[in-house]
Each structure stands twice: as C-alpha cells, then as structure tokens.
Amino acid sequence: MNDYVCPRCRTRAPVTALTWCCPRCRGPWDLDHAGAPVPLASLASRVNSLWRYTEALPLATSGAPAVPPVSLGEGRTPLIPLTDTVSAKLDFLMPTLSFKDRGAVMLAELARRLEPRRVIADSSGNAGTAVAAYCARAGLDCAVHVPEGTSPKKLEQIRAHGARTVVVPGDREATARAARAAADEPGVFYASHVYNPHFLHGTKTYVYELWEDLGGRLPDTLVLPVGNGTLLLGAALAVAELHGHGLVDHRPALVAVQAEAVSPLAAAFHAGRDDLPGPAPAPASAPAPAPAAARPTLAEGIAIPNPPRAAQILRAVRACGGTFLTVPEDDIRAAQLDLARRGLYVEPTAAACWAAVRATPPRPGTTVLPLCGAGAKTGLGAATDRSAG
C-alpha cells in the first residue's frame, strides 16, 4: 500500500497505521500514488465497473482488472445530452443512488484489508449511506455519526444496511467533531470521505469514464457541486493524471457551484484568498466564539461552512482557469423541477449545477455536469436548517 503524505507539512504515515489525519497539523492526507497510463484501446474488454481503470487505482490488483469482493458494480453511469452543448452524467444511478459510491467502495476495500475493530463515518446523507452499504458488503462493523434532523429517508437507508447511527446534537460540524474524537480510539478505521484520500481516487473515475465515453477526449468545461469538494478534487486528480500521461491535450476548466446560502469557498475565491479566513485571535480570558451557523438551503449536500480541503479546492479551480458560481434557493428548486420534467428526478444538491448553467451565459465548447444524488432520498421539499456532506 502507498503512504499517506500531508500536503501542508509533508509528514508521512503508512496506510496500515490507521492514522486518519496528519498528527502534526491535523489536516487531511494525500496519497503518495503514481498510477500508470490507462490504455484506452483495451477498455472495451474489461470489467464493466470503475475497477476497469486498474492502472490508475491505488487498491487495484496487479495484472488484469479484477473486481474486489466489496464491489456492487459501481461506475459506468450514462452520459446524456441536456442541450446541444451540455450533457449530464447520471451518477444518481449508482447502487446507493449517489456518486459517493465511487469513493466509498475504495474506503471499504481498504478497511477490509486492514481488518479494523470498527469502521466509523460521519455524514447526514449520501456518504454515510454509501459507507454503510459497502461495509455491509465487506462484513465490517460500522457506525455512522449523523446530525440531529437528518433526513428520515437517509437514516432509514443507513440503518437498513446494518450500520448503527449515532445521532449528534447540533449541526454538521458538531457531527464531524464527534466522529473525529471517536476515530482516535485504538483499532478504529475512520472512513472519512474528506480526510482519507482513497475516496478522491474513487471519485476521479468520474472523469476517467468521461474520457473513455468521449473517445479519449474531455469536455471543455466540467461543472461540479462543491461542499467538501470530493468530486471536484477527484476530477482535478484525474485530469492531472490523464494530461501528465499524454492521454489528453487540454485540461478542462473546473466550474465549482455552491448554494448562495452557504458559499464560503466562492467568497474566498472571488476575494482572491488562497484559503478560508481563520478565526481572529482572542485574549486567553475570552470565551471561545461559537461557530457560525449555516443558513438554510435546499442543497444540504454542499452546505459545508468550513471544508478541511478548502485550500486544495481553491488551488485546483484556479489552476485550470475555472471559477465559482453560486445559486439562490429559487433557482435550485426550479432546476430540480425542470430536470424532473425531463425524466430526471434528482435531489436538490444534484440540481445545483443545472441551476448554475441555466443562469449563466454558456462557456465555449462542451460542458458536462453530474446529477449525483437521486430525488428519492429527499423529495421535493422546502429548505431545511440541515447541512450535510
């Protein structure tokens, strides 16, 4: 297995150590993984899942592409046109009805090999559901920390897979803190879709599939929803690999979309910041400031006020000439209804990118956006006071 490496201070740790974050700066890990070029001509005869890209995946077996026992057939989702220049990739057709299966299968396969005493995750939605499903597939004991007020439909799905739910009073940030404290216990594998880079190596297959389906090309623009940034960072990773191996001759612009109600990254990007602003120093005698509350939004899956990989997300968008767009609640609701009337019933978070594209002058060339979560998970409801990731 490859080592973890901290992108901030370059501290390293073996994957086998179950160290979920950098012990020096407590930041998320990257993975010291150098994949080989994926041969486009040989893909037609390979297994019909994301494991077909064996050369690019850190947990793939050597030799011919093999499907690990935790696989549920994830990947290879359809690409359909919405307009003459805009297409949608239907990642809500994954086994647990969201794109998070791409990363969750990697985390579960890693945990299966490490044989921890327990797997824990934190989420109020799709990531927790995906981790629960793949842990069930792998026969792993799993607990998912969720904030109070989590969608009943998502709680039902998590519990149906046999995972225990630990309901945490407070918001999404409080839930993450509780899970991280539990992750420090001996023998625990933290299946974090934010801190563990194996998740990003799973989500990067989104772009590998586009590259294959478009005959060795990539679209001119990739529009991606961003909360914790796991899909965008995976996409940036794939683009860098494909370009570095000489398999594409241009890098698409990454356009990141946030809900107007919770848009810390968009604000930082347009202010020219390299990271989110930290808290102002206070006298030792002063009480600790309360964290800022997220405003209500329909797009609960991207309502993340303080994403741990903020600096990496901002850097990735700038490096490819991309930008950030924000969308108001009315536009998200209208986009969700418009997609439903086209036969595509997705959750509000999944509609955010279509809302942004509809409200923005078209960029030159071709554009692809993901429809990354099924509407059956949330329905067509009013805005809530929950945030998720």
Side-chain angles (χ1 to χ4, degrees):
M1 296 183 188
N2 306 99
D3 282 348
Y4 291 135
V5 58
C6 177
R8 298 176 186 172
C9 65
R10 311 311 297 174
T11 296
R12 301 177 73 90
V15 169
T16 53
L18 296 181
T19 306
W20 64 268
C21 71
C22 173
R24 181 177 296 176
C25 68
R26 301 292 285 181
W29 290 118
D30 280 349
L31 193 64
D32 187 8
H33 170 71
V38 175
L40 182 64
S42 72
L43 292 177
S45 61
R46 292 190 177 187
V47 60
N48 193 37
S49 77
L50 62 79
W51 295 96
R52 68 203 279 112
Y53 309 112
T54 182
E55 293 86 355
L57 297 177
L59 296 177
T61 57
S62 60
V67 179
V70 300
S71 177
L72 293 167
E74 57 287 329
R76 302 295 293 140
T77 55
L79 182 67
I80 68 164
L82 295 177
T83 72
D84 290 344
T85 59
V86 179
S87 296
K89 188 160 174 58
L90 309 189
D91 261 25
F92 70 93
L93 298 179
M94 290 282 194
T96 76
L97 308 181
S98 91
F99 86 93
K100 296 288 177 63
D101 290 4
R102 294 186 184 276
V105 69
M106 301 292 288
L107 295 182
E109 172 60 16
L110 176 60
R112 185 187 70 83
R113 298 184 189 187
L114 297 179
E115 300 182 326
R117 176 172 56 87
R118 178 180 302 123
V119 175
I120 68 166
D122 62 286
S123 170
S124 65
N126 295 330
T129 298
V131 169
Y134 284 93
C135 281
R137 182 74 168 173
L140 296 165
D141 183 77
C142 178
V144 181
H145 289 63
V146 299
E148 58 186 357
T150 295
S151 164
K153 292 182 179 180
K154 292 180 178 179
L155 281 176
E156 180 182 354
Q157 191 178 5
I158 291 170
R159 289 167 177 160
H161 292 308
R164 297 184 306 283
T165 53
V166 180
V167 179
V168 179
D171 61 7
R172 184 65 181 85
E173 293 293 311
T175 304
R177 289 193 296 271
R180 291 166 197 164
D184 286 328
E185 297 176 8
V188 171
F189 177 81
Y190 184 22
S192 173
H193 59 292
V194 181
Y195 279 79
N196 194 305
H198 287 88
F199 196 93
L200 306 182
H201 282 269
T203 61
K204 77 182 181 184
T205 59
Y206 172 87
V207 167
Y208 273 91
E209 289 177 18
L210 290 177
W211 168 73
E212 180 184 357
D213 289 344
L214 297 175
R217 298 179 297 106
L218 289 176
D220 297 291
T221 303
L222 294 173
V223 181
L224 300 156
V226 174
N228 276 311
T230 55
L231 184 54
L232 182 139
L233 289 173
L237 188 60
V239 170
E241 290 175 357
L242 289 166
H243 190 265
H245 291 312
L247 298 175
V248 295
D249 57 9
H250 82 285
R251 300 185 184 217
L254 303 181
V255 174
V257 176
Q258 296 204 288
E260 195 174 88
V262 187
S263 52
L265 291 164
F269 180 88
H270 292 298
R273 292 183 177 273
D274 295 327
D275 203 345
L276 297 183
S285 59
R295 289 164 52 197
T297 177
L298 286 165
E300 59 181 14
I302 51 173
I304 308 297
N306 189 30
R309 293 188 184 270
Q312 289 178 278
I313 297 166
L314 293 166
R315 186 163 57 248
V317 173
R318 286 199 176 99
C320 64
T323 191
F324 273 82
L325 301 175
T326 60
V327 286
E329 298 303 296
D330 286 348
D331 285 7
I332 295 172
R333 184 180 291 104
Q336 186 189 21
L337 291 170
D338 179 74
L339 287 166
R341 287 164 183 155
R342 296 166 180 259
L344 302 166
Y345 186 39
V346 300
E347 62 183 349
T349 300
C353 288
W354 181 230
V357 169
R358 287 182 0 134
T360 307
R363 296 174 70 95
T366 56
T367 296
V368 171
L369 57 87
L371 299 181
C372 47
K377 288 173 172 278
T378 56
L380 293 167
T384 71
D385 60 0
R386 297 188 304 275
S387 61

